[in-house]
Amino acid sequence: MTAVSAPRVGAGGPGSGVDVARIREDFPILARTVREDRPLVYLDSGATSQRPRQVLDAEREFLENHNAAVHRGAHQLAEEATDAYESARERIAAFVGAMTHEVVFVKNATEGINLVAYAFGNASVRTGLTEESERFALSPGDEIVVTELEHHANLVPWQELCRRTGATLRWYSVTDDGRIDLDSLELTDRTKVVAFTHQSNVTGAVAPVDELVRRAQAVGALTVLDACQSVPHMPVDLHALGVDYAVFSGHKMLGPSGVGVLWGRSELLQAMPPFLTGGSMIETVRMEATTYAPPPQRFEAGVPMTSQAVGLGAAVDYLRLIGMDAVAAHEAELTRVALDGLRDVPGVRLVGPDNTTERGGAVSFVVDGVHAHDLGQVLDDRGIAIRVGHHCAWPLHRRYGIVATARASFAVYNTVDEAAQLADGIRAAQDFFGVGR
Amino acid sequence: MQLQQMYQEIILDHYRQPHGSGLREPYDAETHHVNPTCGDEVTLRVKLDDAAETVVDVSYDTLGCSISQASVSVLNDLVVGRSVADSMRILDAFQEMAQSRGKVEPDEDVLGDGVAFAGVAKYPARVKCALLGWMAFKDAVSRTPAAVSTAAVSTDAVSTDAVSTDAVSTEPGSADRAEKQDQKGPVG
């Protein structure tokens, strides 16, 4: 219902590369200057991506013409708003190979993981829906398995679930080049959950999903995939991956903040008890007891975000029209250029694989003699925005004995020239602090 | 170029050759503060004189950026040998300058080399770096045996509730550790 103007794809169409110059025209913010008229070089899309006009327009169009509380009310605006909201769900589901009713709107990926963890917790204290939800119950002696490279969002909720249920947290350690070390852990028949990131937000390594799923299935464990850094950057088909749950955030995929997705296999969502309860998620309510709506409504208590969901629908339309194969190919080229540049700078140590095989565009590194904060400041002075710190993956940084790293991360709107500027900026920082060379 | 305004030569000198670094015995209290956004850490020890009126030593170990390291070096310069009351006045002046977004003109008579951090105040993300060591110092003074016994009967400039936690958060569990370390146990 909301018309979305097409993004500017390459002359050869999807799959044959992207016309970055034309794409950039859709992103007004990329034309601004920072710090004394330096052109902005935005290399922090791993933290949050910028949004094209098509997304901003879709949100505004919705709010100016169709805004109402969804799934309540019988007036025309309520119908239109509900249609827009459900249409976004349908397109987002299609974008990741999911069925529409398997997509639950949440605030962000963090909330999505917490939803699953709290639902399992509820099942564990037998406040679940039915006998079916017993399958999610955890007891002392059961195990939840994560990896050492997880974002805190895919670690702390599981630590908390272990604390509430008496289950034990175990984890795969990582290799020296920032991949999950599959030899570091054996799952057991007590392993109930295996949660891991599809693509590390620090090292960029893409997880061996097939193998991790095979191992989890062999012991009957459920898999939870943090797809925050994969869905925006590569084609993802959740059913084909074989995982049981997945989460991703809108703001990292050219969409609005305040909206994300929890995806779960239909039969699992059907059996799972709710997390947040209240309005919208009910079937019948009496003073004595309440029954719950089927998924996805069961997991969307309260009036949900609407313009944000509509905006995320526009974002997946935008990405789909460029083509995720083309997006992935372009970002692989940016990553290659950045890695080549870093390789030539003495005193730079990469935290992650040094080639683009099974690797995405998060490029993290340390520079001998220059703290990441100081490096980030020098780059900022040149107009280059990167992330510095532990990127919400503190245990991973401890594993490598470092306090903080600098991270460049890319999106479809970055140019090869921008990726190449990274190495120049590092050299400038080394000169400024009198180290290296 | 804005970079030089922030990284004044004084700051870089302190960074390259920090004054009074390293952890020393004896000490009255030790604190460990962390900047949770970047993981920078400082462990800081304070030794007061027998009357608990003068700062005899501030020793420290830092893991962090040039701003946080230079800042604690300047702290050492400014407070060692001063009265506790004077140290707290200097600390307040430094904190006021650092949190002013560049609106407070620093007084060199009070802050000495600390005035070099006026440029840092214009970068909100780096203010925590500049204050990390100073907040650890404030916390440590409040945990000295003299301050702890004084705090039991009155609230003065060094009472624990004066410790700002919005500028620099303490790592969860560090309070427990600090209490253990009040007994001069080994660093955990």
Side-chain angles (χ1 to χ4, degrees), chain B residues 110-172:
Chain B
V110 177
L111 289 175
D113 282 358
V115 298
F117 290 84
V120 178
K122 293 173 186 152
Y123 294 85
R126 304 303 297 277
V127 170
K128 284 181 184 178
C129 309
L131 287 175
L132 184 65
W134 290 78
M135 291 300 117
F137 171 69
K138 188 175 187 173
D139 192 14
V141 169
S142 77
R143 291 173 188 279
T144 57
V148 169
S149 59
T150 310
V153 289
S154 71
T155 53
D156 61 13
V158 294
S159 68
T160 335
D161 61 6
V163 175
S164 162
T165 50
D166 62 346
V168 179
S169 302
T170 305
E171 185 184 47

Coordinates of all heavy atoms in Angstrom, one line a residue, chain B residues 110-172:
Chain B
V110 N 45.2 26.5 39.9 CA 44.6 25.4 40.6 C 45.0 24.1 39.9 O 45.4 23.1 40.5 CB 43.1 25.5 40.6 CG1 42.5 24.3 41.3 CG2 42.7 26.8 41.4
L111 N 44.9 24.1 38.6 CA 45.0 22.8 37.8 C 46.3 22.5 37.2 O 46.6 21.4 36.7 CB 43.9 22.8 36.7 CG 42.5 22.7 37.3 CD1 41.5 22.8 36.1 CD2 42.3 21.3 38.0
G112 N 47.3 23.5 37.2 CA 48.6 23.2 36.6 C 48.5 22.6 35.2 O 47.8 23.1 34.4
D113 N 49.2 21.5 35.0 CA 49.2 20.8 33.7 C 47.7 20.3 33.4 O 47.4 20.0 32.2 CB 50.1 19.6 33.7 CG 51.6 20.0 33.5 OD1 51.8 21.2 33.4 OD2 52.4 19.1 33.5
G114 N 46.9 20.2 34.4 CA 45.5 19.8 34.1 C 44.8 20.7 33.2 O 43.8 20.2 32.5
V115 N 45.2 22.0 33.0 CA 44.5 22.8 32.1 C 44.6 22.3 30.6 O 43.7 22.6 29.8 CB 45.0 24.3 32.1 CG1 44.8 24.9 33.5 CG2 46.4 24.4 31.7
A116 N 45.6 21.5 30.4 CA 45.7 20.9 29.0 C 44.6 20.1 28.6 O 44.3 19.8 27.4 CB 47.0 20.1 29.0
F117 N 43.8 19.6 29.6 CA 42.6 18.8 29.3 C 41.4 19.5 28.9 O 40.3 19.0 28.7 CB 42.3 17.8 30.5 CG 43.4 16.8 30.7 CD1 44.6 17.1 31.4 CD2 43.3 15.5 30.1 CE1 45.6 16.1 31.5 CE2 44.3 14.6 30.2 CZ 45.4 14.9 30.9
A118 N 41.5 20.9 28.9 CA 40.3 21.7 28.5 C 39.8 21.3 27.1 O 38.6 21.3 26.9 CB 40.7 23.2 28.6
G119 N 40.7 20.9 26.2 CA 40.3 20.5 24.9 C 39.5 19.2 24.9 O 38.6 19.0 24.0
V120 N 39.9 18.4 25.8 CA 39.2 17.1 25.9 C 37.7 17.3 26.2 O 36.8 16.5 25.8 CB 39.8 16.2 26.9 CG1 39.1 14.8 27.1 CG2 41.3 15.9 26.6
A121 N 37.4 18.4 27.0 CA 36.0 18.6 27.4 C 35.1 18.8 26.2 O 33.9 18.7 26.4 CB 36.0 19.9 28.3
K122 N 35.7 19.2 25.1 CA 34.8 19.4 23.9 C 34.4 18.0 23.2 O 33.6 18.0 22.3 CB 35.5 20.2 22.9 CG 35.7 21.7 23.4 CD 36.6 22.5 22.4 CE 36.9 23.8 23.0 NZ 38.2 24.4 22.5
Y123 N 35.0 16.9 23.7 CA 34.7 15.6 23.1 C 34.0 14.8 24.2 O 34.7 14.1 25.0 CB 35.9 14.9 22.6 CG 36.6 15.6 21.5 CD1 37.5 16.7 21.7 CD2 36.3 15.2 20.1 CE1 38.1 17.3 20.6 CE2 36.9 15.9 19.1 CZ 37.8 16.9 19.3 OH 38.4 17.6 18.3
P124 N 32.7 14.8 24.2 CA 32.0 14.1 25.3 C 32.4 12.6 25.5 O 32.4 12.1 26.6 CB 30.5 14.2 24.9 CG 30.4 15.3 23.9 CD 31.7 15.4 23.3
A125 N 32.7 12.0 24.4 CA 33.0 10.6 24.5 C 34.3 10.4 25.3 O 34.6 9.3 25.7 CB 33.1 9.9 23.1
R126 N 35.2 11.4 25.3 CA 36.5 11.2 26.0 C 36.5 11.8 27.4 O 37.6 11.6 28.0 CB 37.6 11.9 25.1 CG 37.6 11.4 23.7 CD 37.8 9.9 23.5 NE 39.1 9.4 24.1 CZ 40.2 9.5 23.4 NH1 40.3 9.9 22.2 NH2 41.3 9.0 24.0
V127 N 35.5 12.4 27.8 CA 35.5 12.9 29.2 C 35.7 11.8 30.2 O 36.4 12.0 31.2 CB 34.2 13.7 29.4 CG1 34.0 14.1 30.9 CG2 34.1 15.0 28.6
K128 N 35.0 10.7 30.0 CA 35.2 9.6 30.9 C 36.7 9.2 31.0 O 37.1 8.7 32.0 CB 34.4 8.4 30.4 CG 32.9 8.5 30.7 CD 32.2 7.3 30.2 CE 30.7 7.4 30.4 NZ 30.0 6.2 29.9
C129 N 37.4 9.2 29.9 CA 38.8 8.8 29.9 C 39.5 9.8 30.8 O 40.4 9.3 31.6 CB 39.4 8.9 28.4 SG 38.4 8.1 27.2
A130 N 39.3 11.1 30.7 CA 40.0 12.1 31.5 C 39.7 11.9 33.0 O 40.5 12.2 33.8 CB 39.7 13.5 31.0
L131 N 38.5 11.5 33.3 CA 38.1 11.4 34.7 C 38.3 10.1 35.3 O 38.2 10.0 36.6 CB 36.6 11.8 34.8 CG 36.2 13.3 34.5 CD1 34.7 13.4 34.5 CD2 36.9 14.1 35.6
L132 N 38.7 9.1 34.6 CA 38.7 7.7 35.1 C 39.6 7.7 36.4 O 39.2 7.2 37.4 CB 39.3 6.7 34.0 CG 39.3 5.3 34.4 CD1 38.0 4.7 34.7 CD2 40.0 4.5 33.3
G133 N 40.9 8.2 36.3 CA 41.8 8.1 37.4 C 41.4 9.0 38.5 O 41.5 8.7 39.7
W134 N 40.8 10.1 38.2 CA 40.4 11.1 39.2 C 39.2 10.5 40.1 O 39.2 10.7 41.3 CB 39.9 12.4 38.6 CG 41.1 13.2 38.0 CD1 41.7 12.9 36.8 CD2 41.8 14.3 38.6 NE1 42.7 13.8 36.6 CE2 42.8 14.7 37.7 CE3 41.6 15.0 39.8 CZ2 43.6 15.7 37.9 CZ3 42.5 16.1 40.0 CH2 43.5 16.4 39.1
M135 N 38.3 9.8 39.4 CA 37.2 9.2 40.2 C 37.7 8.0 41.0 O 37.2 7.8 42.1 CB 36.1 8.7 39.2 CG 35.4 9.8 38.5 SD 34.5 10.9 39.7 CE 35.4 12.5 39.4
A136 N 38.7 7.3 40.5 CA 39.3 6.3 41.3 C 40.0 6.8 42.5 O 39.9 6.3 43.6 CB 40.3 5.5 40.4
F137 N 40.6 8.0 42.4 CA 41.3 8.7 43.5 C 40.2 9.1 44.5 O 40.4 8.9 45.7 CB 42.0 9.9 43.0 CG 42.6 10.8 44.1 CD1 43.6 10.4 44.9 CD2 42.0 12.1 44.2 CE1 44.1 11.2 45.9 CE2 42.5 12.9 45.2 CZ 43.5 12.5 46.1
K138 N 39.2 9.7 44.0 CA 38.1 10.2 45.0 C 37.5 9.0 45.8 O 37.3 9.1 47.0 CB 37.0 10.9 44.1 CG 35.9 11.6 44.9 CD 35.0 12.3 43.9 CE 34.0 13.1 44.7 NZ 33.2 14.0 43.7
D139 N 37.3 7.9 45.0 CA 36.8 6.7 45.7 C 37.7 6.2 46.7 O 37.4 5.8 47.8 CB 36.5 5.7 44.5 CG 35.7 4.5 45.0 OD1 35.1 4.6 46.1 OD2 35.6 3.5 44.3
A140 N 39.0 6.2 46.3 CA 40.0 5.6 47.2 C 40.2 6.4 48.5 O 40.2 5.9 49.6 CB 41.4 5.5 46.5
V141 N 40.1 7.7 48.4 CA 40.2 8.6 49.5 C 39.1 8.3 50.5 O 39.2 8.2 51.7 CB 40.3 10.1 49.2 CG1 40.1 11.0 50.4 CG2 41.6 10.4 48.5
S142 N 37.9 8.1 49.9 CA 36.7 7.9 50.7 C 36.7 6.5 51.4 O 36.0 6.3 52.3 CB 35.4 8.0 49.9 OG 35.3 6.8 49.1
R143 N 37.6 5.7 50.9 CA 37.7 4.3 51.5 C 38.9 4.2 52.4 O 39.1 3.1 52.9 CB 37.9 3.3 50.4 CG 36.6 3.1 49.5 CD 36.8 2.2 48.3 NE 35.7 2.2 47.4 CZ 34.6 1.5 47.6 NH1 34.5 0.7 48.7 NH2 33.6 1.5 46.8
T144 N 39.6 5.2 52.6 CA 40.7 5.1 53.6 C 40.1 5.0 55.0 O 39.0 5.4 55.3 CB 41.6 6.4 53.6 OG1 40.8 7.5 53.9 CG2 42.3 6.5 52.3
P145 N 40.8 4.3 55.9 CA 40.2 4.0 57.2 C 39.8 5.3 57.9 O 38.7 5.4 58.5 CB 41.4 3.4 58.0 CG 42.2 2.7 56.9 CD 42.1 3.6 55.7
A146 N 40.5 6.4 57.7 CA 40.2 7.7 58.4 C 38.8 8.2 57.8 O 38.0 8.6 58.6 CB 41.3 8.7 58.2
A147 N 38.7 8.1 56.5 CA 37.5 8.6 55.9 C 36.3 7.8 56.3 O 35.2 8.3 56.5 CB 37.6 8.7 54.4
V148 N 36.5 6.5 56.3 CA 35.4 5.6 56.6 C 34.9 5.8 58.1 O 33.7 5.9 58.3 CB 35.9 4.1 56.5 CG1 34.8 3.1 57.0 CG2 36.1 3.8 55.0
S149 N 35.8 6.1 59.0 CA 35.4 6.3 60.4 C 34.7 7.7 60.5 O 33.8 7.9 61.2 CB 36.6 6.2 61.4 OG 37.6 7.1 61.0
T150 N 35.2 8.7 59.7 CA 34.6 10.0 59.7 C 33.2 10.0 59.2 O 32.3 10.6 59.7 CB 35.5 11.0 58.9 OG1 36.8 10.9 59.3 CG2 35.0 12.4 59.1
A151 N 33.1 9.2 58.1 CA 31.8 9.2 57.4 C 30.7 8.6 58.3 O 29.6 8.9 58.1 CB 31.9 8.3 56.1
A152 N 31.2 7.8 59.3 CA 30.2 7.2 60.2 C 29.5 8.3 61.0 O 28.4 8.1 61.5 CB 30.9 6.2 61.1
V153 N 30.2 9.4 61.3 CA 29.6 10.4 62.1 C 29.2 11.7 61.4 O 28.4 12.5 61.8 CB 30.5 10.8 63.3 CG1 30.6 9.7 64.3 CG2 31.9 11.2 62.8
S154 N 29.8 11.9 60.2 CA 29.4 13.1 59.5 C 29.5 12.9 58.0 O 30.2 11.9 57.5 CB 30.3 14.3 59.9 OG 31.6 14.1 59.4
T155 N 29.0 13.8 57.2 CA 29.2 13.7 55.7 C 30.1 14.9 55.4 O 29.7 16.1 55.5 CB 27.9 13.8 55.0 OG1 27.2 14.9 55.4 CG2 27.1 12.5 55.2
D156 N 31.3 14.6 54.9 CA 32.1 15.8 54.5 C 32.5 15.5 53.0 O 31.9 14.7 52.3 CB 33.4 15.9 55.4 CG 34.2 14.6 55.4 OD1 34.0 13.8 54.5 OD2 35.1 14.5 56.2
A157 N 33.5 16.3 52.6 CA 33.8 16.3 51.2 C 34.3 14.9 50.7 O 34.2 14.7 49.5 CB 34.9 17.3 50.9
V158 N 34.7 14.0 51.5 CA 35.2 12.8 51.1 C 34.3 11.6 51.4 O 34.7 10.5 51.3 CB 36.6 12.5 51.6 CG1 37.6 13.5 51.1 CG2 36.6 12.5 53.1
S159 N 33.0 11.9 51.7 CA 32.1 10.8 52.0 C 31.8 10.0 50.7 O 31.9 10.5 49.6 CB 30.8 11.3 52.6 OG 30.1 12.1 51.6
T160 N 31.4 8.8 50.9 CA 31.3 7.9 49.7 C 30.2 8.4 48.8 O 30.2 8.2 47.6 CB 30.9 6.5 50.2 OG1 31.4 6.3 51.5 CG2 31.4 5.4 49.3
D161 N 29.1 9.0 49.4 CA 28.0 9.4 48.5 C 28.4 10.5 47.6 O 27.6 10.9 46.7 CB 26.8 9.8 49.4 CG 27.0 10.9 50.3 OD1 28.1 11.5 50.2 OD2 26.1 11.2 51.1
A162 N 29.6 11.1 47.8 CA 30.0 12.1 46.8 C 30.6 11.5 45.6 O 30.9 12.2 44.6 CB 31.1 13.0 47.5
V163 N 30.8 10.2 45.6 CA 31.4 9.5 44.4 C 30.4 9.5 43.3 O 29.3 9.0 43.4 CB 31.8 8.1 44.8 CG1 32.3 7.4 43.5 CG2 32.9 8.1 45.9
S164 N 30.8 10.1 42.2 CA 29.9 10.2 41.1 C 30.0 8.9 40.3 O 31.1 8.4 40.0 CB 30.4 11.3 40.1 OG 29.9 11.2 38.9
T165 N 28.9 8.3 40.1 CA 28.9 7.1 39.3 C 28.3 7.3 37.9 O 28.4 6.4 37.1 CB 28.0 6.0 40.0 OG1 26.7 6.6 40.3 CG2 28.6 5.5 41.3
D166 N 27.9 8.5 37.6 CA 27.4 8.7 36.3 C 28.6 9.0 35.3 O 28.6 8.7 34.2 CB 26.3 9.8 36.2 CG 26.8 11.1 36.6 OD1 27.9 11.2 37.2 OD2 26.1 12.1 36.4
A167 N 29.6 9.6 35.9 CA 30.8 9.9 35.0 C 31.6 8.7 34.8 O 32.0 8.4 33.7 CB 31.6 11.0 35.7
V168 N 31.8 7.9 35.8 CA 32.6 6.7 35.7 C 32.0 5.6 36.5 O 31.9 5.7 37.7 CB 34.1 7.0 36.2 CG1 34.9 5.7 36.0 CG2 34.7 8.1 35.4
S169 N 31.5 4.6 35.9 CA 30.9 3.5 36.6 C 32.0 2.6 37.1 O 33.0 2.4 36.5 CB 30.0 2.7 35.7 OG 29.0 3.6 35.2
T170 N 31.7 2.1 38.3 CA 32.6 1.1 38.8 C 32.2 -0.3 38.3 O 31.0 -0.6 38.2 CB 32.5 1.1 40.4 OG1 32.7 2.5 40.8 CG2 33.5 0.2 41.0
E171 N 33.1 -1.1 38.1 CA 32.8 -2.5 37.6 C 32.0 -3.2 38.7 O 32.3 -3.0 39.8 CB 34.2 -3.2 37.4 CG 34.0 -4.6 36.8 CD 35.3 -5.3 36.7 OE1 36.1 -5.3 37.7 OE2 35.6 -5.8 35.6
P172 N 31.0 -3.9 38.2 CA 30.2 -4.7 39.2 C 31.1 -5.5 40.1 O 32.0 -6.2 39.5 CB 29.3 -5.5 38.4 CG 29.2 -4.8 37.1 CD 30.5 -4.1 36.9

